[in-house]
Amino acid sequence: MFTEYEIASMIEIPEIQKANETLKKDFIKHECPYLEISDHDFFSLVMMTPTLGIATADGKVSLFEELALNKKARKLSKGGYFMKKDPVVYAMKFLLKKFDEWSDKFYAVVKLSIESSFNYEGLDKKNFDELKEVTYEVYKREVLRQPYILIRFISSFFLENDEDIINESRYIGKSEYNVVLQIGEKLGLSELPVFQMFCKTFEVKH
């Protein structure tokens, strides 16, 4: 998952800062008028959106998933809240209750953050559907040649442990896998070869 320092660096980008502030005001006004949360911590919540989308793939969040989400959220909170109420964890409860209603607005800010953090337009964009097979060796090289922050986005959004990005295979449920593909479409990642190759590393459980 992203560190609080990476979150702080991204939110300094004017486009991201403005979009985050606008969404924060809108969300708090309609869902939690008494919520007190900093811009940093709200942006941390925004960056949790893809992870929340996968967790809700089956229509509900299990206790195990909730604990894992809370652990991720605490890593992003500014300053850490180990012994106190964590604002990201607290705000996340409101978002989960109305996730279907708010997710597209949150994904829009995530997409803007991806496009504003590095030279997104300069990346190779291809369709690998015509390829019958992409070898593991090709995938590893593709990961290594990508911008650092792009790999951080993918691993933070879709993996429990960032270091697993170059793992040859991992297991995932069919509903969760479909959500990963849908999120990739929403965020503009699906047209990137490295993301397409990343998706092929999953072994889908039926």
Side-chain angles (χ1 to χ4, degrees):
M1 198 63 191
F2 288 117
T3 67
E4 67 172 278
Y5 307 106
E6 289 169 329
I7 292 293
S9 297
M10 281 189 279
I11 203 173
E12 289 176 355
I13 299 172
E15 298 90 336
I16 298 176
Q17 185 180 50
K18 182 179 179 180
N20 183 65
E21 290 175 353
T22 300
L23 179 59
K24 175 186 169 183
K25 290 178 182 177
D26 190 27
F27 183 72
I28 290 177
K29 176 182 178 181
H30 290 92
E31 300 301 338
C32 41
Y34 302 106
L35 176 66
E36 294 184 4
I37 187 170
S38 68
D39 289 344
H40 175 110
D41 287 338
F42 188 82
F43 186 61
S44 297
L45 175 66
V46 172
M47 288 294 103
M48 288 285 295
T49 309
T51 306
L52 297 180
I54 296 171
T56 58
D58 290 325
K60 61 180 180 180
V61 179
S62 68
L63 177 60
F64 177 78
E65 289 171 324
E66 182 179 352
L67 293 174
L69 290 173
N70 291 348
K71 181 179 179 181
K72 274 194 170 186
R74 287 191 175 92
K75 288 183 179 180
L76 301 179
S77 301
K78 189 171 185 178
Y81 290 82
F82 181 70
M83 297 299 291
K84 297 183 290 183
K85 181 186 291 185
D86 185 283
V88 183
V89 172
Y90 183 62
M92 189 169 63
K93 296 180 185 299
F94 293 99
L95 180 55
L96 282 171
K97 287 180 181 178
K98 299 285 187 71
F99 191 75
D100 288 343
E101 295 180 26
W102 285 93
S103 60
D104 282 346
K105 289 184 178 181
F106 276 73
Y107 282 130
V109 178
V110 176
K111 187 174 187 291
L112 174 67
S113 302
I114 294 172
E115 295 173 349
S116 301
S117 297
F118 65 101
N119 184 19
Y120 174 83
E121 292 301 323
L123 294 177
D124 293 332
K125 299 179 180 68
K126 303 175 183 177
N127 191 327
F128 270 54
D129 288 343
E130 68 274 11
L131 296 182
K132 293 182 178 180
E133 183 178 356
V134 175
T135 67
Y136 180 48
E137 287 69 26
V138 171
Y139 167 65
K140 288 191 294 183
R141 288 197 299 271
E142 191 69 16
V143 169
L144 294 176
R145 65 184 288 271
Q146 299 303 312
Y148 166 82
I149 190 62
L150 173 59
I151 298 305
R152 291 291 287 149
F153 277 120
I154 295 174
S155 60
S156 295
F157 292 160
F158 304 111
L159 296 177
E160 185 173 348
N161 298 305
D162 295 351
E163 63 271 16
D164 287 345
I165 187 69
I166 300 188
N167 195 357
E168 186 168 5
S169 63
R170 52 186 64 81
Y171 295 96
I172 190 172
K174 185 176 180 180
S175 58
E176 287 84 359
Y177 181 71
N178 289 336
V179 170
V180 168
L181 298 180
Q182 292 168 10
I183 294 172
E185 289 279 353
K186 290 178 182 289
L187 301 183
L189 296 172
S190 59
E191 58 189 15
L192 303 180
V194 68
F195 182 75
Q196 296 170 22
M197 294 179 188
F198 167 74
C199 290
K200 293 180 183 295
T201 66
F202 286 104
E203 185 170 335
V204 182
K205 297 181 292 184
H206 295 279

